[in-house]
Amino acid sequence: MSAPRKIIIDTDPGQDDAVAILLALASPELEILGITAVAGNVPLPLTEKNARKICELAGKPETRVYAGAARPMVRSLVTAEHVHGRTGLDGPDLPEPSMPLQEGHAVDFIVETLMAEPQGAVTLCPLGPLTNIALALIREPRIATRIKEIVLMGGGFFEGGNVTPAAEFNIYVDPHAADVVFRSGVPIVMMPLDVTHKALTTAARVEAFRRLGTPVGHATAALLEFFERFDEEKYGTDGGPLHDPCVIAYLLKPELFKGRHCNVTVEIASELTMGMTVIDWWGVSGRPKNAQVMRYIDDEGFFDLLVERLARL
Ligand code: BDR
Ligand code: CA
């Protein structure tokens, strides 16, 4: 096997973030240099703690977890306890973590790591609002040419939004940060709602995690059963969209996804459409292409990969 791909996961766990982290920790093709927490689904003190809970659940307490931005760059923090529960990880009964939070700020960790590692060696994997990533790009602009690529979950176009009719949660919470990232010139792969709404946690798929018979399998089933209840009612589907693991699955098996290289511009002016990702799918704007926008997923292959990998933990 070739050398593992070096990644930093930036996250606001969140049940689906948790499954993404488990998938990464279970996969020898990836070397997680660190996990950086950001405020999003729940406030920062909970997201950083939740990241540590998941590392311990996976039996990887040596993973480095850093706390980052406690609020978006310009707007007030909007959270999503109505989806994720009060803790952000409602569902299973996970113990308080005993592994430490790293000293130092997540933004410093991102900058220092990118400056120390060889050019093009590190991939950033944002699973929440893009505050930490934008702050790192502002703090040290030289990192823009050192990042291999940014593979992120966020946005939506054909599916519209999930927090407003126009905007997806991660982009809506910090649209100004998203604007910085999409204008940065860094190669971007985007997993919008157009993909994740096709990756549904059906009852049979949740059962496959439970059948693993391991603590990770049981916890994953409990996380997903809690997480999907809100979206099942909202969308009338069997299961809810499993958003964030699409990012990690892409690193492992890019052939599961299909999309198009497009211009993506983030709305930061109109309150009505604040945080909308305006995706020029048909190439009508003449604006430069800045992101590989995914639209289709092999959802069976995606869940097979998840079960196969989580079985290793
Ligand atoms: C995104 O928002 C969060 O609630 C999820 O964790 C995911 O990252 C989906 O819109
Ligand atoms: Ca998330």
Side-chain angles (χ1 to χ4, degrees), residues 43-286:
L44 183 69
L46 289 169
T47 59
E48 65 83 355
K49 182 164 76 172
N50 290 345
R52 290 184 289 134
K53 282 185 180 177
I54 295 304
C55 293
E56 288 194 354
L57 172 66
K60 311 263 183 185
E62 67 283 4
T63 311
R64 294 189 290 173
V65 176
Y66 294 83
R71 49 154 286 195
M73 288 172 58
V74 178
R75 289 162 69 87
S76 305
L77 178 63
V78 174
T79 53
E81 284 86 357
H82 59 295
V83 182
H84 299 271
R86 194 182 48 79
T87 66
L89 280 190
D90 281 21
D93 204 7
L94 297 175
E96 290 295 297
S98 53
M99 65 180 273
L101 181 67
Q102 297 295 309
E103 286 179 17
H105 196 279
V107 172
D108 292 334
F109 168 74
I110 293 170
V111 169
E112 284 160 18
T113 303
L114 283 162
M115 294 309 287
E117 290 285 341
Q119 178 138 14
V122 180
T123 297
L124 302 182
C125 303
L127 311 177
L130 289 159
T131 319
N132 288 340
I133 310 300
L135 289 175
L137 285 161
I138 290 168
R139 168 109 189 234
E140 178 46 274
R142 286 180 295 169
I143 67 172
T145 55
R146 303 187 67 81
I147 299 167
K148 179 179 170 68
E149 62 181 346
I150 297 176
V151 184
L152 65 87
M153 190 281 136
F157 193 63
F158 297 97
E159 285 286 308
N162 61 357
V163 61
T164 75
E168 179 278 331
F169 180 81
N170 290 342
I171 308 296
Y172 179 77
V173 172
D174 200 340
H176 300 91
D179 183 51
V180 168
V181 170
F182 277 95
R183 288 179 192 279
S184 67
V186 179
I188 294 173
V189 178
M190 175 177 177
M191 296 291 168
L193 298 178
D194 305 291
V195 164
T196 66
H197 279 186
K198 299 181 177 84
L200 295 175
T201 58
T202 62
R205 288 168 174 171
V206 172
E207 203 42 44
F209 290 115
R210 185 168 284 117
R211 268 203 314 271
L212 291 175
T214 60
V216 166
H218 284 292
T220 301
L223 284 166
L224 296 182
E225 275 170 350
F226 185 90
F227 182 51
E228 69 191 12
R229 86 210 181 294
F230 176 80
D231 282 334
E232 281 181 326
E233 187 165 327
K234 181 171 162 191
Y235 300 116
T237 47
D238 175 13
L242 190 52
H243 309 281
D244 293 339
C246 291
V247 165
I248 306 299
Y250 172 80
L251 302 179
L252 300 169
K253 280 195 158 191
E255 65 274 17
L256 292 174
F257 301 90
K258 281 199 174 51
R260 195 179 273 195
H261 202 217
C262 303
N263 175 268
V264 180
T265 303
V266 180
E267 173 66 78
I268 54 169
S270 151
E271 199 51 47
L272 179 66
T273 51
M274 182 63 70
M276 180 177 182
T277 46
V278 179
I279 298 175
D280 186 6
W281 186 262
W282 304 113
V284 293
S285 69

